Amino acid sequence: MVLLQEKNESGFHYLYDHYAGALYGVVLRIVQSKEYTEEIIQDVFVKIWNAISQYDSSKGKFYTWMINIARNTAIDYLKSKGFQNELKNQPLPDFVYNSAELSTTNNSSDFIGFRNVLKGLEVDKQELIDLAYYQGYTQNEISEKLKIPLGTVKTKMRNALMKLKDLLKDYQ
C-alpha cells in the first residue's frame, strides 16, 4: 500500500501480479467478453493507480475497494454509447458469444470461493446479488425486471448484503 501511495512501480507490479486474475473474473462476469474484459482491466488498474490516495482503510478492505472500481468500470463500459453502438454494428456471429467458453460457473474462475458463500443466502437474495453485482442492474431496473416495488428491492438488497457480510466474517 505504501509503495502504491508513493507511486512506486514495483508496488503496481505487485498489485497487478496478485490481483489481476480476481479482478479479471469480476469484469468478465459482467461484460462476458474476453476482448472487452482485457481492455477494461487496463482501465481498472489505471484508475486504481490514479485514485490510490482516495482509498480509506476505515471504510473497508483494499480488495473490496478494488472490486468496486472493477465492477463500476465494467458497468460504465457496458452502458457507454460507444459500446452500445459497437454492439449494434456487429454482425450476428460476432455478437453471439460462446457461452461455454465464457462461462464463469466453473470453479477455476471463482478466485475466492464466493459462489459457496452465496449459497448461504436465500435464493431470492442470491438473485438480487447476481442481478446487481454480476449483471450490473440498478435497483430500479431490478424492480422492473422482477416486477416488485423499489422499496422491497432496496430492503431485500440491504438484508442480503447484511447476511453476506455476516457470512464473509469467516473469510477474513
Side-chain angles (χ1 to χ4, degrees):
M1 181 63 67
V2 173
L3 292 175
L4 288 173
Q5 290 172 336
E6 292 174 353
K7 298 294 184 185
N8 185 313
E9 286 187 34
S10 62
F12 180 81
H13 292 297
Y14 177 87
L15 179 75
Y16 188 85
D17 291 343
H18 288 84
Y19 293 100
L23 297 179
Y24 185 92
V26 169
V27 173
L28 180 62
R29 175 77 190 247
I30 294 170
V31 299
Q32 298 183 350
S33 164
K34 289 180 181 181
E35 177 185 336
Y36 297 131
T37 298
E38 290 167 4
E39 186 177 322
I40 293 168
I41 282 295
Q42 291 176 11
D43 268 356
V44 168
F45 278 98
V46 168
K47 285 182 180 183
I48 291 170
W49 178 260
N50 290 332
I52 193 65
S53 63
Q54 296 174 10
Y55 170 67
D56 182 358
S57 62
S58 69
K59 292 183 180 178
K61 294 189 178 287
F62 182 61
Y63 181 70
T64 305
W65 182 74
M66 289 190 310
I67 284 179
N68 282 328
I69 289 174
R71 178 184 165 275
N72 292 340
T73 302
I75 291 169
D76 289 347
Y77 188 84
L78 288 178
K79 291 182 176 182
S80 71
K81 287 184 180 183
F83 178 76
Q84 294 298 320
N85 286 336
E86 192 174 318
L87 287 180
K88 290 176 188 175
N89 294 327
Q90 288 184 356
L92 187 59
D94 293 336
F95 181 73
V96 179
Y97 301 115
N98 179 345
S99 60
E101 179 186 330
L102 295 174
S103 173
T104 57
T105 58
N106 63 40
N107 290 334
S108 66
S109 66
D110 190 10
F111 298 102
I112 61 171
F114 197 67
R115 288 195 209 316
N116 290 332
V117 175
L118 279 178
K119 290 178 184 175
L121 295 175
E122 293 86 4
V123 174
D124 63 328
K125 291 177 180 168
Q126 288 179 30
E127 181 179 27
L128 288 175
I129 297 293
D130 180 64
L131 289 170
Y133 289 93
Y134 289 121
Q135 297 183 40
Y137 282 79
T138 65
Q139 289 181 336
N140 283 330
E141 292 168 338
I142 292 171
S143 172
E144 292 172 11
K145 180 175 179 63
L146 300 179
K147 296 182 181 11
I148 57 177
L150 179 60
T152 303
V153 170
K154 290 181 178 189
T155 301
K156 285 186 172 190
M157 182 65 77
R158 184 177 192 285
N159 290 339
L161 292 173
M162 288 173 50
K163 174 73 175 174
L164 194 57
K165 180 180 178 183
D166 189 50
L167 291 171
L168 286 171
K169 278 194 262 186
D170 299 333
Y171 291 90
Q172 294 183 0

